[in-house]
């Protein structure tokens, strides 16, 4: 095969380091972005924050406040130096600030702390601890005591001569701990434990009978058979049902939850002189600058290492500025498209897709996707993610379009206004929407209802 040389032209897209950095910063959430900036500050000595000290007015106000506080304490017969001294901390272990951070207590730790107060023998305490470890996320015991006993190592049972009765006693100790209902082996037992702590009354006794005899009928809301079974009228059953609703079916619901991750809004939206305006949240925009001393040194020297860091610092400052401008432009475009939402709420939300904003701002759709992910705006209607304003559309009878968010809001309104004794079925909701000019299929209504966490009509029925 004869070899030959050929000349071929082709286009290739290469991302420069600066562009890669801009894309990386753009797709980060505000909290991750702040952490990334801190890392840059730690790695690059040429970067530093712009200092914003108190101006003279602020300093004067601070001095006046301090003076007023001093006068108040002196009027109470206290020396200002003593008060200030009581608020200061030494740099020793006794006043370690990390020791003042709130520690989240797990349900296990909470129960074990109560168990220690019972002053049980070590044998009983060990069995109680074992039952605590066997609880599920709801605080219930998912297996029977017999199954727990069978799961114990045979040699352990034989050596200690354990008996089933001892495990039952340990379970009774568990049922006495707070929160009430923890350690129950079923939902009915959990609610009964809480009912027993209420002052006795005919309604409480009826509620106990509901749990013991008619829990399944209550679950399917078959109130007719339930009234017949319990020989009670509608008013009595309704009062008993209200008591049962006030109980907690998940005793561990408030324990061991995930640590909340706080949201820092990127932009602030407010109505000024009749018009909706958007501005960047300056608290979320780091202000960096190049260290002037290092920059002057580099002007007279050719240090490759520091020169590279100087270029990196300038790129980062420019990327931060571009990130803020892009986030602001996208927010302004969203607010301009969704002004009706800010005026009237979800029912006025308009259909919007990423492509609409991309074409308006002359940006790539992938860029809009990065900007709208984990970016938030603080509005009079709450802190909302950019993506909240985007959604599919459904054509209405007049040839226009309705946003999926607006349809969900209408479904929510219809359910809230329905007769609790005769809740609306999906077909009925579909017909009500059609009367308002929104033509959607029944299966679409069912899908949106489930997305809203609204139960079917049969489960929403009440007395």
């Amino acid at each position: 095969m004869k070899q030959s040389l050929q000349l071929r032209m082709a286009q290739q897209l290469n991302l420069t380091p600066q562009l890669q950095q801009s894309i990386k910063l753009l797709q980060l959430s505000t909290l991750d972005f702040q952490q990334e900036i801190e890392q840059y500050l730690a790695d690059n000595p040429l970067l530093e924050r712009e200092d914003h000290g108190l101006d003279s007015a602020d300093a004067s106000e601070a001095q006046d406040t301090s003076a007023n506080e001093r006068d108040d304490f002196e009027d109470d017969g206290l020396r200002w130096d003593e008060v200030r001294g009581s608020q200061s901390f030494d740099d020793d272990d006794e006043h370690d600030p990390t020791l003042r951070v709130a520690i989240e207590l797990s349900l296990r730790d909470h129960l074990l702390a109560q168990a220690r107060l019972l002053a049980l023998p070590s044998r009983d305490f060990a069995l109680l601890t074992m039952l605590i470890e066997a609880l599920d996320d709801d605080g219930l015991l998912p297996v029977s005591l017999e199954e727990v006993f069978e799961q114990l190592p045979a040699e352990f049972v034989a050596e200690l001569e354990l008996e089933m009765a001892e495990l039952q006693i340990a379970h009774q100790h568990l049922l006495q701990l707070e929160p009430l209902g923890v350690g129950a082996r079923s939902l009915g037992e959990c609610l009964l434990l809480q009912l027993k702590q209420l002052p006795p009354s005919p309604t409480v006794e009826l509620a106990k009978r509901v749990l013991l005899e008619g829990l399944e009928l209550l679950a399917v809301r078959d109130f007719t058979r339930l009234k017949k079974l319990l020989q009670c009228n509608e008013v009595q059953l309704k009062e008993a049902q209200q008591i049962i609703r006030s109980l907690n079916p998940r005793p561990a619901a408030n324990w061991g939850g995930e640590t909340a991750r706080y949201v820092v809004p990127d932009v602030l939206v407010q109505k000024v002189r009749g018009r909706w305006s958007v501005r960047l949240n300056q608290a979320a925009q780091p202000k960096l600058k190049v260290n002037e001393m290092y920059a002057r040194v580099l002007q007279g020297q050719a240090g490759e290492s520091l020169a590279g860091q100087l270029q990196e610092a300038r790129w980062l400052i420019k990327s931060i500025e571009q990130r803020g401008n892009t986030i602001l432009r996208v927010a302004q475009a969203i607010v301009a498209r969704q002004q009706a939402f800010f005026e009237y709420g979800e029912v006025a939300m308009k259909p919007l897709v990423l492509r609409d904003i991309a074409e308006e701002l002359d940006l790539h759709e992938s860029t809009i996707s990065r900007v709208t992910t984990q970016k938030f705006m603080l509005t009079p209607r709450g802190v909302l993610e950019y993506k909240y304003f985007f959604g599919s559309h459904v054509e209405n009878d007049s040839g226009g379009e309705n946003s999926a968010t607006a349809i969900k809001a209408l479904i929510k309104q219809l359910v809230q206004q329905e007769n609790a004794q005769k809740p609306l079925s999906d077909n009925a909701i579909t017909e009500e929407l059609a009367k308002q000019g929104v033509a959607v299929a029944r299966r679409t209504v069912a899908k949106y209802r489930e997305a809203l966490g609204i139960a079917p009509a049969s489960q929403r029925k009440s007395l």
Side-chain angles (χ1 to χ4, degrees):
M1 184 175 179
K2 186 177 180 180
Q3 295 182 348
S4 62
L5 296 175
Q6 293 182 349
L7 182 62
R8 181 180 301 173
M9 297 182 62
Q11 290 184 340
Q12 184 176 2
L13 179 62
N14 292 322
L15 296 179
T16 64
Q18 183 179 3
L19 183 57
Q20 292 177 358
Q21 183 184 65
S22 298
I23 293 175
K24 178 182 178 182
L25 295 179
L26 187 61
Q27 65 187 7
L28 294 177
S29 67
T30 302
L31 292 177
D32 293 336
F33 173 63
Q34 296 286 357
Q35 293 176 0
E36 189 73 13
I37 296 303
E38 292 297 332
Q39 188 61 46
Y40 277 114
L41 287 169
D43 295 340
N44 193 334
L46 289 162
L47 277 173
E48 64 180 8
R49 292 186 180 275
E50 290 186 3
D51 294 329
H52 296 285
L54 290 174
D55 56 25
S56 57
D58 292 337
S60 176
E61 182 179 354
Q63 291 177 357
D64 292 341
T65 302
S66 178
N68 292 335
E69 291 177 349
R70 182 177 64 248
D71 293 340
D72 292 340
F73 277 108
E74 289 177 351
D75 291 340
D76 293 336
L78 297 175
R79 293 186 57 220
W80 176 245
D81 293 339
E82 294 176 356
V83 176
R84 293 190 60 186
S86 65
Q87 296 177 344
S88 62
F89 301 105
D90 298 329
D91 295 332
D92 55 14
D93 295 337
E94 183 179 358
H95 300 294
D96 186 353
T98 60
L99 300 178
R100 295 179 171 269
V101 177
I103 299 176
E104 294 188 3
L105 193 66
S106 66
L107 177 64
R108 175 185 177 276
D109 295 334
H110 179 62
L111 295 175
L112 287 177
Q114 296 177 71
R116 294 187 185 96
L117 297 177
L118 298 177
L120 298 174
S122 58
R123 183 190 187 95
D124 295 338
F125 182 81
L127 291 174
L128 178 54
T129 301
M130 182 183 64
L131 291 178
I132 292 175
E133 298 289 352
L135 298 178
D136 62 14
D137 293 338
D138 292 334
L140 305 180
L141 194 62
V143 295
S144 65
L145 294 179
E146 289 75 12
E147 291 176 306
V148 174
F149 192 79
E150 290 175 358
Q151 292 173 2
L152 294 175
E155 60 276 8
F156 177 75
V157 175
E159 180 180 352
L160 298 180
E161 298 181 353
L162 289 177
E163 297 181 359
M164 183 64 190
E166 295 180 273
L167 189 60
Q168 293 172 342
I169 293 174
H171 183 246
Q172 290 301 315
H173 287 306
L174 176 59
L175 296 179
Q176 302 303 316
L177 303 182
E178 295 284 346
L180 287 176
V182 69
R185 288 158 292 186
S186 66
L187 174 62
E189 184 181 16
C190 173
L191 299 179
L192 275 172
L193 288 168
Q194 298 174 52
L195 276 178
K196 291 178 180 179
Q197 302 299 320
L198 298 179
S201 69
T203 304
V204 171
E205 293 304 317
L206 180 59
K208 291 179 182 178
R209 290 188 60 199
V210 171
L211 297 177
L212 289 171
E213 305 172 31
L215 186 57
E216 293 183 358
L217 293 176
L218 180 64
V220 297
R221 297 177 180 271
D222 192 344
F223 300 115
T224 302
R225 291 178 58 190
L226 194 55
K227 287 186 291 184
K228 185 177 180 181
L229 174 66
L230 301 175
Q231 295 295 311
C232 65
N233 58 40
E234 186 172 308
V235 174
Q236 293 171 330
L237 182 57
K238 187 174 183 179
E239 292 175 349
Q241 185 187 19
Q242 289 176 344
I243 290 181
I244 295 174
R245 282 183 173 179
S246 67
L247 305 178
N248 184 7
R250 301 178 58 210
N254 297 327
W255 298 88
E258 295 182 358
T259 303
R261 182 170 183 179
Y262 297 97
V263 171
V264 179
D266 299 87
V267 296
L268 311 176
V269 180
Q270 58 184 154
K271 197 171 187 179
V272 180
R273 297 179 181 177
R275 298 182 62 183
W276 290 99
S277 65
V278 187
R279 59 186 177 88
L280 282 174
N281 179 13
Q282 296 301 325
Q285 300 299 317
K287 300 294 184 181
L288 305 184
K289 66 178 182 179
V290 176
N291 187 293
E292 297 180 359
M293 182 184 70
Y294 282 108
R296 287 195 298 268
V297 171
L298 286 176
Q299 289 179 355
Q301 300 180 4
E304 294 183 1
S305 176
L306 287 180
Q309 290 181 322
L310 176 60
Q311 185 65 36
E312 182 186 67
R314 290 172 176 169
W315 282 353
L316 179 63
I317 294 173
K318 186 175 181 181
S319 296
I320 293 174
E321 183 179 355
Q322 290 178 343
R323 180 183 185 274
N325 290 338
T326 304
I327 288 175
L328 178 61
R329 290 180 61 204
V330 172
Q332 290 172 335
I334 292 174
V335 172
R337 293 285 189 111
Q338 300 291 7
Q339 287 194 36
F341 162 80
F342 293 101
E343 295 287 351
Y344 308 107
E346 289 182 329
V347 293
M349 185 79 80
K350 294 182 178 180
L352 185 64
V353 294
L354 297 177
R355 184 175 61 255
D356 297 335
I357 302 298
E359 292 175 353
E360 179 179 340
L361 300 181
D362 195 22
L363 295 172
H364 197 276
E365 196 169 330
S366 62
T367 302
I368 304 300
S369 178
R370 292 188 182 96
V371 174
T372 55
T373 302
Q374 296 186 10
K375 308 299 187 303
F376 298 86
M377 58 176 69
L378 177 60
T379 76
R381 296 189 178 274
V383 179
L384 305 172
E385 188 178 10
Y386 281 30
K387 281 193 178 297
Y388 170 78
F389 297 94
F390 295 84
S392 57
H393 64 276
V394 177
E395 294 185 0
N396 54 36
D397 292 342
S398 60
E401 294 178 342
N402 292 101
S403 166
T405 304
I407 297 175
K408 290 179 181 178
L410 290 173
I411 293 174
K412 188 188 299 183
Q413 281 187 359
L414 290 173
V415 172
Q416 291 174 345
Q417 298 170 2
E418 70 183 1
N419 184 348
Q421 295 181 344
K422 296 180 180 179
L424 297 172
S425 64
D426 291 341
N427 283 328
I429 294 176
T430 303
E431 294 173 0
E432 291 294 329
L433 291 176
K435 294 178 183 179
Q436 301 184 31
V438 181
V440 292
R442 187 203 63 80
R443 62 180 180 273
T444 303
V445 170
K447 181 178 71 174
Y448 288 169
R449 174 181 56 74
E450 292 174 358
L452 291 169
I454 299 176
S458 61
Q459 298 181 19
R460 300 200 306 274
K461 185 178 179 181
S462 62
L463 292 170

